[in-house]
C-alpha cells in the first residue's frame, strides 16, 4: 500500500490546507511589517495601543505616530490585514494623524516628527539618550525581587490613606526628578505599584564611588524588597510611569477647625514604654510612641503587655493633644513621616514568638513632639525637618 501524504490525511479529516500568503516581498513592505510587529508587541506588553504625549516614553510616542500613519494608508491596510489580530488598524484614527505615504514610514522621519534626532547612520536601537525596553526592564529587576511583607498590617493603613489623599487632592503624583527625594517616609509609584520607603540604612560608598544606602521598601500588594537607593532611583527614572507622590501640606489639616468650639475628633497621644528591653531601658527618656486615636487613649493600650506594637510591656502617657475637626488618619501619617528619620529600629517577639518590627516608636525627645504640634497649629511643619542626631526640629535649608 502506497504511503499516504499529509495532504491525503488532511483530506480525510475534512481540512482544506490553506497556503499561507507570502507578504513582505520587497524591502519597503518588510520594513512596514517589522514596524507593525513592534507595535503589536507593545500592545501585548501594556494591554493598550501606544499613545501620544510628551510625558510618554519615546518608543511609545514613536509607535503611536507610526500606527497613525499605518491607519492612514490603504496600501498598509491591505498588506497588514491578516496580521492585525488586535484590530489596531480599524481603531479610530487620531485627529492629528500624519498624511505621509507608506513608503516614507522610516524611523528617521518618525523621530523627526517628534523632534528627536538619531545618530547618523544608526538604527532605532542605537538612538542616543534613549534606553531600549530591555534596559528599562533591567532597571526594574530589583523591584521584581520581592518577598511577602510579614508585618504588612502595619503599613496597609498608610497606603489606604495615601490613596484617599490623592483622590481628595491633598497629594499629587509628579515626575520623579532627584535622588534626594528618596528617603524614609516617602511614597512612589514604580512598575505599577505604590512603594513606601520604610527604612534607610547607613550611607556607604559603592564601587563606582557614589553614595548609596540599603532601603526597606514596602509595596501596596503586600510585598517588600531590600533595595539600594540608587536601584530605586534608576527604576523610577527609566519607568515611563514612574512617579513620586508628594507630601500633603500640613496646613489643610487644620482648615476645617471650628472657631469657638467644634466636634472633638480624637487625640494625639505620646507614650513611654516601661519595657526592660536593653535598647528601650537605656534610652527610655527619648523613646516615644506617637499615635492618634478617636477613642479614649487609655483604652488604646489596655492590654499593652500582650501587644507587640506596644513592645509587649506596659506604657505610660506622657502627653496628649486634643483634636477638633481634623482628619485623624492623615494627621497620624504626617507625624510619622515627619519623625521617620528617628524611627526606632527594633524587633520584638509577639506572644506567639513571631518577630515583629513596631513602626510607631521614635527616638525623639518629648519637647520635640511638643514643638511639632505647635508648628502644625501654625501650619508651618512642612518648613522644618527632624534631625535625630541632634534630637531637634530644625528649619529646612
Amino acid at each position: 500500500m502506497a504511503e499516504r501524504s499529509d495532504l491525503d490525511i488532511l483530506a480525510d479529516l475534512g481540512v482544506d490546507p490553506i497556503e499561507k500568503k507570502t507578504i513582505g516581498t520587497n524591502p519597503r513592505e518588510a520594513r512596514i511589517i517589522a514596524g507593525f510587529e513592534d507595535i503589536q508587541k507593545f500592545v501585548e506588553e501594556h494591554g493598550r495601543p501606544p499613545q501620544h504625549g510628551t510625558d510618554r516614553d519615546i518608543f511609545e510616542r514613536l509607535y503611536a505616530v507610526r500606527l497613525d500613519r499605518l491607519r492612514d494608508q490603504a496600501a498598509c491596510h491591505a498588506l497588514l490585514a491578516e496580521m492585525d489580530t488586535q484590530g489596531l488598524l480599524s481603531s479610530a484614527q487620531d485627529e492629528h494623524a500624519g498624511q505621509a505615504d507608506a513608503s516614507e514610514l522610516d524611523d528617521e522621519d518618525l523621530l523627526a516628527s517628534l523632534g528627536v534626532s538619531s545618530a547618523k547612520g544608526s538604527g532605532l536601537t542605537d538612538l542616543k539618550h534613549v534606553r531600549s525596553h530591555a534596559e528599562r526592564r533591567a532597571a526594574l529587576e530589583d523591584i521584581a525581587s520581592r518577598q511577602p511583607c510579614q508585618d504588612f498590617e502595619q503599613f496597609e493603613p498608610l497606603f489606604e490613606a495615601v490613596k484617599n489623599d490623592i483622590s481628595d487632592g491633598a497629594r499629587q503624583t509628579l515626575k520623579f526628578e532627584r535622588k534626594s527625594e528618596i528617603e524614609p517616609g516617602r511614597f512612589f509609584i514604580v512598575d505599577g505599584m505604590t512603594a513606601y520607603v520604610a527604612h534607610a540604612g547607613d550611607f556607604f560608598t559603592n564601587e563606582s564611588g557614589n553614595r548609596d544606602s540599603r532601603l526597606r521598601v514596602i509595596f501596596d500588594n503586600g510585598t517588600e524588597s531590600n533595595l539600594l537607593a540608587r536601584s530605586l532611583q534608576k527604576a523610577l527614572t527609566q519607568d515611563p510611569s514612574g512617579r513620586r507622590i508628594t507630601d500633603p501640606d500640613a496646613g489643610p489639616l487644620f482648615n476645617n477647625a471650628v472657631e469657638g468650639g467644634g466636634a472633638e475628633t480624637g487625640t494625639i497621644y505620646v507614650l513611654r514604654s516601661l519595657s526592660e528591653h536593653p535598647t528601650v531601658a537605656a534610652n527610655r527618656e527619648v523613646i516615644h510612641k506617637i499615635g492618634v486615636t478617636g477613642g479614649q487613649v487609655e483604652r488604646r493600650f489596655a492590654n499593652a503587655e500582650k501587644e507587640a506594637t506596644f513592645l509587649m510591656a506596659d506604657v505610660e502617657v506622657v502627653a496628649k493633644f486634643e483634636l477638633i475637626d481634623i482628619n485623624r488618619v492623615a494627621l497620624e501619617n504626617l507625624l510619622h513621616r515627619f519623625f521617620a528619620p528617628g524611627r526606632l529600629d527594633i524587633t520584638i517577639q509577639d506572644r506567639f514568638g513571631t518577630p515583629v518590627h513596631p513602626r510607631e516608636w521614635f527616638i525623639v525627645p518629648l519637647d520635640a513632639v511638643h514643638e511639632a504640634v505647635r508648628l502644625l497649629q501654625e501650619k508651618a511643619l512642612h518648613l522644618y525637618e527632624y534631625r535625630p542626631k541632634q534630637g531637634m526640629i530644625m528649619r529646612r535649608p
Side-chain angles (χ1 to χ4, degrees):
M1 184 177 178
E3 183 176 351
R4 307 179 72 233
S5 68
D6 291 339
L7 292 177
D8 293 330
I9 296 174
L10 288 173
D12 291 342
L13 295 174
V15 178
D16 293 326
I18 299 175
E19 182 178 356
K20 185 176 181 180
K21 182 180 178 180
T22 301
I23 58 176
T25 58
N26 60 56
R28 179 179 66 83
E29 292 181 342
R31 176 162 45 83
I32 293 173
I33 292 169
F36 188 61
E37 288 176 339
D38 288 339
I39 297 172
Q40 289 181 309
K41 290 178 182 178
F42 177 93
V43 175
E44 290 175 359
E45 293 173 357
H46 295 82
R48 59 173 175 80
Q51 299 175 5
H52 299 279
T54 56
D55 60 333
R56 303 287 179 179
D57 177 83
I58 186 62
F59 283 90
E60 180 172 358
R61 296 169 61 197
L62 178 68
Y63 296 154
V65 173
R66 179 184 293 163
L67 181 58
D68 284 343
R69 295 192 179 185
L70 290 173
R71 288 170 174 171
D72 222 26
Q73 303 299 320
C76 293
H77 280 253
L79 178 65
L80 303 171
E82 290 189 3
M83 296 177 56
D84 188 21
T85 58
Q86 298 155 313
L88 297 174
L89 297 178
S90 60
S91 299
Q93 298 183 23
D94 189 280
E95 63 180 4
H96 301 296
Q99 300 297 322
D101 183 82
S103 63
E104 298 175 358
L105 289 171
D106 61 273
D107 292 332
E108 291 289 337
D109 289 337
L110 296 181
L111 288 168
S113 71
L114 296 174
V116 180
S117 298
S118 64
K120 185 176 181 180
S122 67
L124 175 61
T125 55
D126 296 325
L127 280 174
K128 291 184 177 180
H129 311 302
V130 179
R131 296 185 181 273
S132 69
H133 176 72
E135 289 177 307
R136 295 198 306 274
R137 292 306 303 169
L140 299 173
E141 286 183 356
D142 282 344
I143 298 292
S145 301
R146 305 185 304 272
Q147 58 273 352
C149 177
Q150 299 299 327
D151 56 343
F152 185 67
E153 69 277 0
Q154 302 287 334
F155 303 99
E156 193 168 14
L158 300 183
F159 289 109
E160 186 64 28
V162 167
K163 180 180 177 180
N164 292 335
D165 285 348
I166 294 175
S167 298
D168 296 340
R171 295 175 183 262
Q172 297 180 3
T173 59
L174 302 177
K175 182 179 179 181
F176 175 79
E177 296 176 346
R178 301 184 302 276
K179 178 177 180 293
S180 60
E181 296 171 340
I182 298 177
E183 58 185 17
R186 291 292 179 89
F187 289 86
F188 303 92
I189 298 176
V190 59
D191 200 22
M193 296 175 291
T194 301
Y196 173 64
V197 180
H199 175 74
D202 294 335
F203 286 103
F204 63 88
T205 302
N206 62 22
E207 295 179 355
S208 301
N210 297 315
R211 199 163 181 251
D212 208 345
S213 65
R214 180 68 66 177
L215 309 175
R216 184 190 183 198
V217 181
I218 313 298
F219 298 92
D220 61 353
N221 65 350
T223 61
E224 67 174 278
S225 181
N226 292 323
L227 288 169
L228 289 173
R230 287 191 171 272
S231 295
L232 180 56
Q233 176 195 14
K234 187 176 181 180
L236 285 164
T237 302
Q238 298 184 6
D239 180 3
S241 60
R243 294 290 186 271
R244 65 182 177 92
I245 299 176
T246 62
D247 289 339
D249 184 3
L253 292 174
F254 294 85
N255 281 353
N256 295 327
V258 180
E259 295 185 6
E264 183 176 308
T265 57
T267 305
I268 300 173
Y269 62 85
V270 184
L271 306 181
R272 187 170 293 159
S273 176
L274 302 181
S275 169
E276 293 304 321
H277 186 285
T279 299
V280 178
N283 303 277
R284 198 182 306 280
E285 297 301 312
V286 293
I287 293 179
H288 296 102
K289 175 180 170 64
I290 303 172
V292 179
T293 181
Q296 293 184 2
V297 174
E298 288 71 16
R299 289 184 179 179
R300 180 70 180 86
F301 52 87
N303 298 308
E305 72 280 1
K306 298 179 181 179
E307 298 183 37
T309 188
F310 291 103
L311 308 184
M312 303 297 291
D314 287 332
V315 296
E316 60 178 345
V317 180
V318 293
K320 291 194 297 185
F321 307 91
E322 301 302 324
L323 305 176
I324 304 296
D325 294 344
I326 294 175
N327 185 321
R328 294 192 303 272
V329 175
L331 177 58
E332 184 175 60
N333 290 339
L334 179 61
L335 287 170
H336 288 176
R337 285 194 305 273
F338 183 77
F339 286 113
R343 179 173 277 115
L344 178 65
D345 186 6
I346 191 172
T347 301
I348 298 291
Q349 289 190 339
D350 64 16
R351 53 180 174 168
F352 303 107
T354 303
V356 177
H357 307 280
R359 308 300 298 169
E360 296 184 357
W361 292 86
F362 304 87
I363 301 177
V364 52
L366 185 58
D367 59 354
V369 180
H370 282 272
E371 177 70 5
V373 172
R374 182 184 68 79
L375 291 171
L376 276 170
Q377 293 171 331
E378 296 176 359
K379 305 179 182 179
L381 186 65
H382 61 290
L383 302 176
Y384 293 79
E385 63 185 9
Y386 176 62
R387 300 183 184 177
K389 289 186 177 180
Q390 292 84 7
M392 297 175 59
I393 294 176
M394 304 182 73
R395 194 174 184 89
R396 292 180 180 273

